[in-house]
Amino acid sequence: MIALLMFAAVCCAAPVSGAIGAYVALKTGASDDGGIAEGGSAADIPARMLTAYKKAVQQASQYVPKCQGMRWPVLAGIAKVESNHAIGHGIATNGDIRPKIYGALLNGSGAGGNTTAVADTDGGTWDGTAQGERAVGPFQFLPSTWESTGKDGNGDKTADPHNADDAALGAAVYLCGGGRDLTQRSQLQAAILQYNHSSAYVADVLGWITQYKAAAKDPDLKNITGTVRTVIEAALSQRGVPYSWGGGNANGTTYGTCCSPSGKSGTNIKGFDCSGLTQYAYARAGISLPRVAAAQAGAGQRIPAGLGPSVLKPGDLVFFATAPGRDSTIYHVGIYLGSGQMVNAARPGTVVRLDAVNTMSGYAGGARLL
């Protein structure tokens, strides 16, 4: 499988060192502009792709009954890195993806890290060329791997790697192997390493799986009351709203500005960046915050990074910096929910959602205003 070249950037109008690492390999040509699915908890995944992931989890037990721990965030983590969930391509009701997603021809040219020629195995049936092999579909299977792994997930009696249901089911079966327990991190790592033999790839996919697991859980607010609940509910009410660099303020969403460190403009996107979201949520409780994340660190009682995130309480601001310990380098802020989760406007191409605190790099402590 060949991964998609993607670039990640984060808010909030301050220098950025990096967010979740992007695995750099052969570019398939899919867009990295993000996408919004209904439901909010997995709002950066097109709804039809999310359906395919969940369907594959249910079907996988027919082929690998001993497999444990196969959940949709595992498949979403793979597909995010491989094709960015096929965003930029049409996905039909039956799961067919058009235009088809092709990786670079593996001819040893050196382009994109392609240093080893791979001989053709399918006569171009799946990859459109008999001149060699190239990875195909949203899960970027090589035709030779698909030949032994491919499954019919949509019931049309054809196992097609360019079909979302088929590809997701094939990936689930492949990752499960002979019956792995994917709840065990070592076995999950082994499964991902089998998919692509690269430690950088494994780390990237694990980061996305962690993020999607956090996003799949709704927070428990039963013991949260008063102004803390007001702030958290205000932030949660914005799940699914697009990220916009420089967007949002105490009154709600706004069009953003140009441009993020990666060159993404918010001028045509009405939404929030990270500090715009926190400013809005706290304003609902009558609390005024400065506009940018680094300045917000000076509000309220500062919680040092050295104490670790376990001391955070629901409603706290949680910060991330390029050089933790130096508040001038803070580049990101979220609102802590408890149980290691935060409400997060992460970066261009995403939407407001739930994330694990450790999704972002450079934990820099928090601030308590409530």
Side-chain angles (χ1 to χ4, degrees):
M1 295 56 152
I2 309 298
L4 171 70
L5 173 64
M6 298 184 300
F7 298 92
V10 292
C11 73
C12 298
V16 177
S17 64
I20 298 174
Y23 180 74
V24 180
L26 299 178
K27 188 174 182 180
T28 65
S31 166
D32 70 342
D33 294 334
I36 301 173
E38 296 177 359
S41 64
D44 67 333
I45 304 175
R48 184 61 182 84
M49 290 301 293
L50 184 58
T51 295
Y53 306 156
K54 291 180 176 180
K55 184 178 179 181
V57 169
Q58 296 174 343
Q59 294 175 317
S61 60
Q62 300 174 25
Y63 301 95
V64 278
K66 293 183 179 180
C67 183
Q68 299 181 54
M70 174 51 68
R71 301 290 184 268
W72 73 258
V74 174
L75 296 175
I78 295 285
K80 175 65 179 179
V81 176
E82 294 291 354
S83 71
N84 199 22
H85 307 300
I87 289 169
H89 298 254
I91 310 171
T93 301
N94 72 346
D96 286 344
I97 296 172
R98 299 293 184 273
K100 296 177 179 180
I101 302 173
Y102 294 115
L105 181 64
L106 301 179
N107 57 6
S109 66
N114 167 23
T115 59
T116 302
V118 180
D120 175 68
T121 63
D122 70 332
T125 299
W126 299 122
D127 62 5
T129 178
Q131 302 305 308
E133 294 279 78
R134 54 181 179 175
V136 296
F139 284 85
Q140 289 291 275
F141 280 98
L142 288 175
S144 56
T145 306
W146 185 253
E147 180 65 27
S148 59
T149 304
K151 298 290 182 285
D152 174 18
N154 68 349
D156 65 357
K157 303 187 185 306
T158 298
D160 183 349
H162 297 286
N163 178 276
D165 296 327
D166 296 357
L169 180 55
V173 172
Y174 188 75
L175 290 165
C176 278
R180 289 190 176 98
D181 182 356
L182 300 179
T183 64
Q184 302 297 315
R185 190 171 181 84
S186 61
Q187 294 194 42
L188 177 59
Q189 289 175 318
I192 300 169
L193 194 64
Q194 172 188 278
Y195 204 93
N196 190 317
H197 201 73
S198 160
S199 58
Y201 179 87
V202 172
D204 201 25
V205 170
L206 286 173
W208 286 109
I209 291 173
T210 297
Q211 174 176 305
Y212 289 130
K213 282 182 176 179
K217 299 177 181 177
D218 285 325
D220 182 1
L221 303 182
K222 64 182 179 182
N223 295 320
I224 298 176
T225 59
T227 54
V228 173
R229 190 181 186 101
T230 297
V231 168
I232 289 176
E233 287 185 339
L236 289 172
S237 72
Q238 301 306 304
R239 282 190 292 180
V241 171
Y243 180 99
S244 176
W245 177 265
N249 57 34
N251 297 316
T253 58
T254 68
Y255 289 98
T257 60
C258 185
C259 284
S260 74
S262 65
K264 300 286 186 174
S265 175
T267 56
N268 295 319
I269 303 172
K270 191 173 185 180
F272 289 106
D273 68 8
C274 65
S275 54
L277 176 65
T278 55
Q279 193 178 46
Y280 167 79
Y282 271 85
R284 306 285 71 73
I287 298 173
S288 178
L289 289 178
R291 179 59 183 83
V292 298
Q296 290 179 2
Q301 175 191 350
R302 192 72 168 91
I303 303 169
L307 297 178
S310 63
V311 302
L312 294 173
K313 294 183 178 180
D316 288 347
L317 294 174
V318 54
F319 300 104
F320 304 85
T322 57
R326 293 172 53 199
D327 283 359
S328 62
T329 70
I330 287 174
Y331 69 89
H332 193 75
V333 61
I335 298 177
Y336 189 67
L337 293 176
S339 302
Q341 289 184 295
M342 63 180 173
V343 187
N344 196 25
R347 57 190 174 278
T350 67
V351 298
V352 177
R353 62 195 182 195
L354 304 189
D355 277 336
V357 169
N358 63 9
T359 294
M360 310 299 296
S361 63
Y363 174 70
R368 187 163 297 151
L369 293 86
L370 304 169

